[in-house]
Amino acid sequence: MIPDLGRIEEHLGYHFHNKHLLLEALTHTSYVNEHPDEGVSHNERLEFLGDAILEAISSEYLFREYPELDEGQLSKMRASMVCESSLAKCAGRFGLDQYLRLGNGEEHLGGRKKPSIISDAMEAVIGAVYLDSGAECVTEVVKRLILLDLKPSELFKDNKTRLQEVLQSGGGNCPSYELLAESGPDHAKQFEMGVYLNGELIGKGKGNSKKRAAQAAAADALSRIEVK
């Protein structure tokens, strides 16, 4: 199914010159795996580009908007603004999940509502806008959809910070992270990280970088703690 690209462009407030870039940004690997004959590309390369662009734009924005904050404070605020939860929240406000192209298997597993898939697609869209029109246009899109949309009081703390605070509030020690597995070719590496408390594995997570995998592991640990 090809989504109505005109509708999502209206929500984005940006119209693509090259519609194929937007379509690629919305295409998950599961769709490509189930439709090899279509010759379509998934969004992981655009996600990689968008992640770097988002970090650069948010860094400059915070540097200019908060001259009173030091490097450590700016880093924490940036991490909150561009973390998985915040990106998924921003994307949810204009229904990005409705336009994703997922394989049937991922669809049945609830992939359309997974924050990791939604936030990755959001970054891929950012990468697509940059390739389509350049730095000035993508900066405006990022500011409008993400940076100006998140009030400081609404910012999420990243999962690693949240987990550490939860554990320490209960008198526990700081968690530690270890690489459990690494797979895939160099251009599409997948990592699995484990988070441990007092030597006990309390969460696992996967991602296309060790940083993302560690965040996923912390989120897994938080979900287990909240269930208890």
Side-chain angles (χ1 to χ4, degrees), residues 107-133:
E107 187 79 67
H108 292 147
L109 289 172
R112 198 169 295 277
K113 295 301 180 183
K114 290 181 180 178
S116 58
I117 290 178
I118 298 171
S119 62
D120 286 350
M122 186 76 218
E123 290 179 336
V125 168
I126 291 169
V129 172
Y130 174 78
L131 291 179
D132 195 57
S133 289

Side-chain angles (χ1 to χ4, degrees), residues 38 48 70 111 174 194 199:
E38 289 190 16
F48 165 79
D70 61 27
C174 290

Side-chain angles (χ1 to χ4, degrees), residues 122-206:
M122 186 76 218
E123 290 179 336
V125 168
I126 291 169
V129 172
Y130 174 78
L131 291 179
D132 195 57
S133 289
E136 185 174 345
C137 283
V138 75
T139 297
E140 290 305 312
V141 170
V142 168
K143 284 183 177 179
R144 183 174 66 254
L145 295 180
I146 300 174
L147 302 183
L148 299 181
D149 198 38
L150 285 171
K151 301 178 181 65
S153 60
E154 293 181 330
L155 291 179
F156 291 88
K157 293 177 181 176
D158 65 272
N159 291 320
K160 289 179 66 175
T161 300
R162 288 176 56 211
L163 178 61
Q164 182 168 325
E165 290 179 350
V166 167
L167 294 175
Q168 291 186 321
S169 68
N173 295 321
C174 290
S176 61
Y177 295 82
E178 293 183 16
L179 178 65
L180 300 179
E182 181 177 333
S183 61
D186 289 341
H187 69 279
K189 284 284 189 184
Q190 284 291 310
F191 301 90
E192 182 176 21
M193 297 288 288
V195 56
Y196 293 81
L197 179 65
N198 299 324
E200 178 185 352
L201 181 66
I202 59 172
K204 296 191 294 184
K206 295 181 180 180

Side-chain angles (χ1 to χ4, degrees), residues 53-85:
I53 292 167
L54 178 58
E55 183 163 320
I57 293 173
S58 59
S59 296
E60 180 178 358
Y61 173 80
L62 292 172
F63 180 85
R64 296 184 184 280
E65 291 293 316
Y66 298 93
E68 74 280 6
L69 299 184
D70 61 27
E71 181 270 341
Q73 293 170 314
L74 289 171
S75 294
K76 288 181 180 178
M77 183 173 283
R78 182 183 63 195
S80 295
M81 296 186 85
V82 302
C83 74
E84 180 181 289
S85 300

